Amino acid sequence: MERRTRQRDAVQRVIDEASDPLTPQDIHDAAQTHAPGLGIATVYRTLKLLEGGGEIVAVELPGEPARYESAGLGHHHHFHCRQCGRVFDVADCPKQLERITPPGFRLERHEVLLYGVCAGCLGG
Ligand SMILES: [Zn+2]
Ligand SMILES: [Zn+2]
């Protein structure tokens, strides 16, 4: 397999197999098993490529480096642990947000970000 293709596959695979959004550094570390010697610059370049192709999406949190997850996950939200800094997927959605939308406004999309401490950090 061509080197470039192998690197792209390694990055895509790490993201697809992850249960939570990953930082470029997480992806770089995990991808070493599939593509030894993969550099961080190549990871960044590959992430741009995959994002441009609609393969993955960036998860942007205020004041945080962008994390990446599979594009096929569908609508969901995130929980940010202030202790370990990890970001977890939250499958549920509060819905009924029309109720807090000002009268006469049309709600088109929303983002919900939960902050707290994860079960791992709480020792659970
Ligand atoms: Zn935690
Ligand atoms: Zn939602």
Side-chain angles (χ1 to χ4, degrees), residues 14-31:
V14 165
I15 294 171
D16 286 346
E17 287 174 356
S19 54
D20 305 303
L22 301 175
T23 63
Q25 190 60 56
D26 296 334
I27 294 161
H28 172 259
D29 295 348

Side-chain angles (χ1 to χ4, degrees), residues 62-98:
E64 289 285 315
R67 289 168 167 82
Y68 294 87
E69 65 186 9
S70 222
L73 292 177
H75 182 81
H76 67 283
H77 297 289
H78 294 108
F79 186 107
H80 190 200
C81 176
R82 65 176 167 79
Q83 213 140 306
C84 64
R86 281 182 65 191
V87 174
F88 300 85
D89 277 355
V90 174
D92 218 348
C93 172
K95 305 198 177 75
Q96 295 186 316
L97 291 165
E98 284 80 6

Side-chain angles (χ1 to χ4, degrees), residues 3-21:
R3 182 175 157 85
R4 195 171 277 263
T5 311
R6 195 173 63 236
Q7 291 173 334
R8 197 184 54 223
D9 284 357
V11 168
Q12 176 83 62
R13 193 160 145 200
V14 165
I15 294 171
D16 286 346
E17 287 174 356
S19 54
D20 305 303

Side-chain angles (χ1 to χ4, degrees), residues 102-113:
F105 285 43
R106 183 182 69 215
L107 180 67
E108 295 186 329
R109 56 187 290 273
H110 64 265
E111 285 171 12
V112 177
L113 181 55

